[in-house]
């Protein structure tokens, strides 16, 4: 017998899972909502290992969920941070073109930003670019004034606090081990006992595909972990970067390329690259899991992806192993940067969904059944968009429970 019965179980105490639970309990505090997190605290993975940027929505394909929810989410996140006195700085950013080819892509980004409703986006000539970022290289730029920075761990802690105030519960140190259906309910067995729920939301991030399989469904993607490694500018050189400096992204990939990000807590991050990790939670180069790696190489999509993108992947690994190559990539944005200006910093791991044909899933991806909803692809800008994502999932859950 289950140890307790609730209305909704949310698996995953990251920013999307917490936002979902917060939005479910908000209009209906009588609902029994439980968040299950395997770590000893919330926001231990993607939600706590990122640059803290509140993205504008300029990069994403018009009409996509990413585009719609990011633009809406950016405004909502700024408002939320102000209402709850959370760290916030709306500092803007520049996207820098270093060649004529990139200038063409920069203009395409401008059109995309305008189509997505990103406010205030403006093309810059070289003089205007230097006015905003005096040490920046490049021939042209794109100014996105609404981009901001915050502390997403603090945001997650506030979400969790609101959930509790609204009658929900957040249970940490609780790993899900089995999920099955019985008598019209979902039974979730965990390291802290079993729970019966009328509805289950899977926001397990790096393990979302595995949680789906636990429930008896087969996802049409596999989550592959890509580690992003950062350097930090030494304090004496932080003045080289005023706010945020980004390259023009390669449209073939969902990664933005190495860039400079001023942190809300102080200091400037430089990075990240994007290398395939050999462990789902592989934050260090030495992290290795035979099981995780075996799952990756047994998946047909891995080999299709490798065949398509091996040159890009090899370049990322080379840059990971040779600091000078990392420095050279950064010098395209800020030519004065030298190796002695950078010290190794932390890493993050992106949960990237890969389809069976090897394509990298670009938009948010989810699957809903009678009593379950699985979020399979919610990488960046999920933190920025967490408020409207959580609201959307909550509406789906309430509809399934016949409460709307």
């Amino acid at each position: 017998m289950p140890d307790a019965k609730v209305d909704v179980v949310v698996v995953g105490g990251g920013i999307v899972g917490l936002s979902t639970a917060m939005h479910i309990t908000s209009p209906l505090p009588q609902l029994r909502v439980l968040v299950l997190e395997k770590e000893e605290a919330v926001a231990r993975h993607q939600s706590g290992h990122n640059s803290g940027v509140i993205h504008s929505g300029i990069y994403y394909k018009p009409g996509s969920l990413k585009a719609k929810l990011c633009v809406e989410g950016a405004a909502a996140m700024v408002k939320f941070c102000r209402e709850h006195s959370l760290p916030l700085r709306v500092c803007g950013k520049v996207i820098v073109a270093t060649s004529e080819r990139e200038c063409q892509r920069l203009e395409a980004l401008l059109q995309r930003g305008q189509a997505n409703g990103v406010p205030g986006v403006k093309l810059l000539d070289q003089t205007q670019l230097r006015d905003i970022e005096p040490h920046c290289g490049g021939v042209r730029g794109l100014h996105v004034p609404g981009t901001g920075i915050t502390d997403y761990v603090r945001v997650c802690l506030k979400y969790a606090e609101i959930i509790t105030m609204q009658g929900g519960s957040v249970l940490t140190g609780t790993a899900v081990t089995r999920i099955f259906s019985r008598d019209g309910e979902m039974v979730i067995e965990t390291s802290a006992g079993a729970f019966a729920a009328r509805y289950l939301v899977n926001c397990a991030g790096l393990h979302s595909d595995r949680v789906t399989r636990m429930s008896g469904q087969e996802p049409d993607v596999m989550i592959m972990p890509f580690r992003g490694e950062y350097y930090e500018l030494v304090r004496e050189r932080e003045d080289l970067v005023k706010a945020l400096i980004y390259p023009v992204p390669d449209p073939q990939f969902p990664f933005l390329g190495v860039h400079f990000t001023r942190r809300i807590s102080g200091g400037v991050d430089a990075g990240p690259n994007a290398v395939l990790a050999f462990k789902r939670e592989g934050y260090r180069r030495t992290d290795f899991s035979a099981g995780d790696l075996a799952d990756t190489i047994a998946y047909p999509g891995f080999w299709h992806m490798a065949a398509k993108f091996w040159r890009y992947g090899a370049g990322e690994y080379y840059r990971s192993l040779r600091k000078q190559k990392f420095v050279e990539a950064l010098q395209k944005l800020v030519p004065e940067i030298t190796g002695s200006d950078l010290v190794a910093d932390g890493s993050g791991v992106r949960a990237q969904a890969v389809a069976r044909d090897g394509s990298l899933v670009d938009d948010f991806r989810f699957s809903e059944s009678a009593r379950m909803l699985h979020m399979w692809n919610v990488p960046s800008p999920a933190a920025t968009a967490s408020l409207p994502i959580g609201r959307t999932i909550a509406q789906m859950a309430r509809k399934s429970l016949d409460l709307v």
Side-chain angles (χ1 to χ4, degrees):
M1 291 289 292
D3 297 292
K5 289 191 175 184
V6 298
D7 293 298
V8 180
V9 161
V10 177
V11 180
I15 198 165
V16 172
L18 293 169
S19 176
T20 297
M22 182 177 70
H23 281 89
I24 293 174
T25 57
S26 177
L28 298 167
Q30 73 274 18
L31 278 184
R32 297 161 298 173
V33 178
L34 175 63
V35 179
L36 301 176
E37 168 55 48
K38 71 181 179 67
E39 304 294 354
E40 295 302 320
V42 299
R44 285 290 180 90
H45 293 294
Q46 291 180 107
S47 303
H49 289 81
N50 58 64
S51 58
V53 174
I54 301 174
H55 289 286
S56 64
I58 195 169
Y59 298 110
Y60 314 117
K61 182 180 178 180
S64 66
L65 274 175
K66 272 189 177 183
K68 178 180 181 298
L69 296 180
C70 185
V71 173
E72 181 182 348
M77 183 58 65
V78 169
K79 181 180 178 182
F80 184 87
C81 290
R82 287 174 174 160
E83 286 180 347
H84 296 281
S85 301
L86 296 173
L88 172 69
R89 181 185 169 201
V90 180
C91 55
K93 76 173 176 184
V94 292
I95 303 171
V96 180
T98 60
S99 67
E100 285 305 315
R101 181 181 178 185
E102 288 187 351
C103 285
Q104 294 175 8
R105 299 206 317 239
L106 199 67
E107 292 182 0
L109 268 183
L110 171 65
Q111 295 171 6
R112 179 167 284 195
Q114 291 171 336
N116 290 341
V118 179
V121 184
K122 179 184 177 182
L123 279 174
L124 306 173
D125 61 27
Q126 196 172 59
T127 300
Q128 292 169 321
L129 178 60
R130 300 290 191 280
D131 287 341
I132 297 172
E133 290 286 353
H135 301 277
C136 187
V139 293
R140 294 189 74 185
L142 192 63
H143 188 216
V144 189
T147 301
I149 50 176
T150 187
D151 182 338
Y152 283 121
V153 173
R154 293 277 300 275
V155 172
C156 286
L157 292 172
K158 179 56 67 172
Y159 285 0
E161 178 186 323
I162 294 172
I163 291 165
T164 303
M165 290 172 56
Q166 293 174 168
S169 300
V170 179
L171 192 58
T172 57
T174 306
V176 174
T177 57
R178 186 184 177 208
I179 301 170
F180 60 93
S181 178
R182 185 176 66 191
D183 299 329
E185 294 180 317
M186 301 305 302
V187 178
I188 302 95
E189 294 184 350
T190 78
S191 57
F195 303 90
R198 295 167 61 196
Y199 194 78
L200 180 145
V201 181
N202 169 14
C203 295
L206 286 158
H207 301 280
S208 57
D209 56 342
R210 290 173 172 172
V211 170
T212 299
R213 291 189 185 92
M214 280 187 199
S215 71
Q217 297 185 20
E218 186 62 32
D220 60 4
V221 297
M222 174 175 275
I223 302 300
M224 294 191 184
F226 283 85
R227 184 175 61 255
E229 300 161 334
Y230 287 88
Y231 285 91
E232 181 181 20
L233 283 186
V234 297
R235 186 174 298 276
E236 298 77 16
R237 300 288 274 172
E238 288 177 5
D239 61 349
L240 291 176
V241 178
K242 300 302 180 186
L244 312 179
I245 304 175
Y246 279 58
V248 179
D250 188 330
Q252 294 185 78
F253 304 101
F255 311 112
L256 296 179
V258 295
H259 48 269
F260 293 93
T261 307
R262 186 164 284 276
R263 295 192 303 267
I264 194 69
S265 58
V268 177
D269 281 334
N273 57 358
V275 297
L276 184 69
F278 298 138
K279 184 179 180 181
R280 291 270 176 130
E281 294 162 6
Y283 294 99
R284 298 169 300 181
R285 291 176 186 170
T286 55
D287 286 341
F288 177 83
S289 166
D292 287 352
L293 183 58
D295 284 349
T296 295
I297 63 177
Y299 181 59
F302 167 75
W303 297 104
H304 291 304
M305 178 185 70
K308 291 179 183 177
F309 304 128
W310 69 270
R311 290 182 185 276
Y312 178 89
E316 291 292 296
Y317 271 109
Y318 188 56
R319 193 161 60 196
S320 170
L321 295 171
R322 293 201 60 188
K323 181 180 179 180
Q324 182 55 35
K325 290 300 177 182
F326 207 108
V327 172
E328 289 172 8
L330 293 169
Q331 286 173 337
K332 293 179 180 179
L333 302 177
V334 179
E336 295 173 53
I337 288 289
T338 66
S340 60
D341 298 330
L342 302 168
V343 292
D345 201 5
S347 297
V349 178
R350 176 190 180 105
Q352 175 63 51
V354 178
R356 294 186 70 85
D357 65 358
S359 59
L360 304 177
V361 178
D362 186 45
D363 206 358
F364 297 143
R365 177 78 68 88
F366 64 88
S367 173
E368 187 180 25
S369 61
R371 290 184 298 277
M372 293 183 289
L373 186 141
H374 303 278
M375 299 299 296
W376 289 334
N377 199 62
V378 279
S380 180
T384 299
S386 58
L387 288 165
I389 291 174
R391 186 194 65 237
T392 301
I393 299 172
Q395 289 170 345
M396 297 172 75
R398 291 195 295 267
K399 183 177 180 180
S400 182
L401 293 168
D402 296 323
L403 296 174
V404 292

